Amino acid sequence: MNKNNFLNLETIEKASEFVANQIISLVNSKPNCVLGLATGSTPLKVYEYLIEDYQKNKTNYENVITFNLDEYVGLDKKYADKSYHYFMNKNLFSKININLNNTYFPDEKNSEKYDTLIKSKGGIDFQILGIGINGHIGFNEPPADLNSKTRIVELTDSTIKANSRFFNEESDVPNRAVSMGLWSILQAKQIFLMAFGKSKKNAIEKLYKLNDFDPNLPASSLIKKDNVIVIVDQESSFY
Ligand code: PGA
């Protein structure tokens, strides 16, 4: 990618609508497409637009396949509603006509087979990514490995702190997760990374200025790929 692959769409609404429209076109043109999905605050509005469109236009998700990027490991039962499964069901899957048997999440048991499973379904056509304040994508924390596959990872203090907003105590945030690796993510045919809000500005500025992969900014693994679009809002944009 180059500097032209960065798009400032000014507001979260415009940026999310743009990404949602790309997904809707893909689902219409390839009804059995494979979507790579993310959780967190960033994609929430994209999912809202998809639901709104589904209600209005009946876009058909019956044969769509999805792979989520990551999931916590060792989440206490009392926090079952913080799992990424729960998030996806609540914010998207229960509101469109997707077949839950076609929705996949990495877990402790399937982590070694997850990349093969993705490949067996034809590979990810369209991957959505957020970015951590430390530049992580998925739960690929710095220093990151360009060849990493789906596996169990340790979360860094900065990620635990950022995610503690969803828990009663910072110590309740799991310190492990299972995540698609950088290698796994880079196999996607098209990638849209979204960054909203001023907390992401620093990571976006570093990404924009780098010309090569820097393990300290895992998102920079995307630099060598052409089919990547980085979408920012006014607050996360510095240019
Ligand atoms: P956020 O998280 O969308 O909640 O900001 C993004 C991330 O940590 O990857």
Side-chain angles (χ1 to χ4, degrees):
M1 69 172 174
N2 59 43
K3 309 304 176 208
N4 295 330
N5 297 43
F6 285 74
L7 288 185
N8 175 355
L9 293 183
E10 291 169 13
T11 65
I12 297 179
E13 284 73 19
K14 282 191 209 156
S16 303
E17 192 173 11
F18 178 81
V19 175
N21 283 336
Q22 305 282 324
I23 296 175
I24 294 162
S25 305
L26 175 65
V27 171
N28 284 326
S29 63
K30 187 178 178 189
N32 61 346
C33 64
V34 180
L35 303 177
L37 300 179
T39 52
S41 320
T42 307
L44 269 176
K45 273 236 166 311
V46 173
Y47 299 152
E48 279 176 25
Y49 279 112
L50 294 182
I51 294 162
E52 203 180 298
D53 161 77
Y54 172 72
Q55 288 165 348
K56 242 195 253 160
N57 305 314
K58 292 280 162 273
T59 299
N60 186 6
Y61 292 85
E62 210 174 355
N63 296 312
V64 169
I65 298 166
T66 66
F67 284 92
N68 264 77
L69 272 175
D70 45 19
E71 180 59 283
Y72 287 123
V73 169
L75 193 64
D76 190 291
K77 275 201 185 79
K78 76 173 182 221
Y79 286 121
D81 63 343
K82 306 299 175 208
S83 80
Y84 292 168
H85 274 84
Y86 186 94
F87 176 102
M88 290 308 305
N89 284 330
K90 176 167 172 248
N91 295 302
L92 183 64
F93 296 159
S94 63
K95 296 179 176 148
I96 58 174
N97 70 332
I98 201 157
N99 177 350
L100 287 182
N101 293 327
N102 291 340
T103 65
Y104 297 94
F105 290 79
D107 62 35
E108 261 182 302
K109 289 195 205 107
N110 73 9
S111 64
E112 281 175 21
K113 296 188 206 120
Y114 201 65
D115 294 308
T116 318
L117 186 61
I118 295 174
K119 199 165 171 218
S120 73
K121 303 290 178 189
I124 291 174
D125 292 300
F126 190 103
Q127 176 70 55
I128 293 181
L129 296 175
I131 183 170
I133 48 180
N134 63 358
H136 75 195
I137 51 174
F139 274 131
N140 294 286
E141 304 283 38
D145 174 3
L146 213 40
N147 295 314
S148 51
K149 310 278 191 325
T150 303
R151 74 230 178 275
I152 292 176
V153 295
E154 305 278 329
L155 303 187
T156 58
D157 290 346
S158 120
T159 297
I160 290 174
K161 207 179 211 35
N163 290 8
S164 67
R165 67 189 195 276
F166 302 115
F167 294 80
N168 298 339
E169 311 268 345
E170 199 172 305
S171 57
D172 290 343
V173 184
N175 51 19
R176 291 193 312 153
V178 51
S179 177
M180 282 169 65
L182 294 182
W183 180 90
S184 325
I185 293 170
L186 292 176
Q187 305 312 303
K189 292 164 199 148
Q190 176 81 59
I191 298 177
F192 278 72
L193 181 146
M194 295 177 283
F196 304 142
K198 57 181 186 304
S199 68
K200 306 294 172 70
K201 189 173 178 160
N202 190 29
I204 291 299
E205 180 164 5
K206 283 188 189 153
L207 180 61
Y208 188 82
K209 290 183 174 162
L210 279 168
N211 292 313
D212 220 332
F213 174 60
D214 176 349
N216 293 317
L217 193 82
S220 65
S221 54
L222 305 173
I223 282 171
K224 292 289 176 204
K225 261 183 95 79
D226 291 330
N227 50 357
V228 178
I229 312 264
V230 178
I231 296 171
V232 300
D233 67 351
Q234 198 54 48
E235 286 196 337
S236 63
S237 168
F238 63 94
Y239 53 89

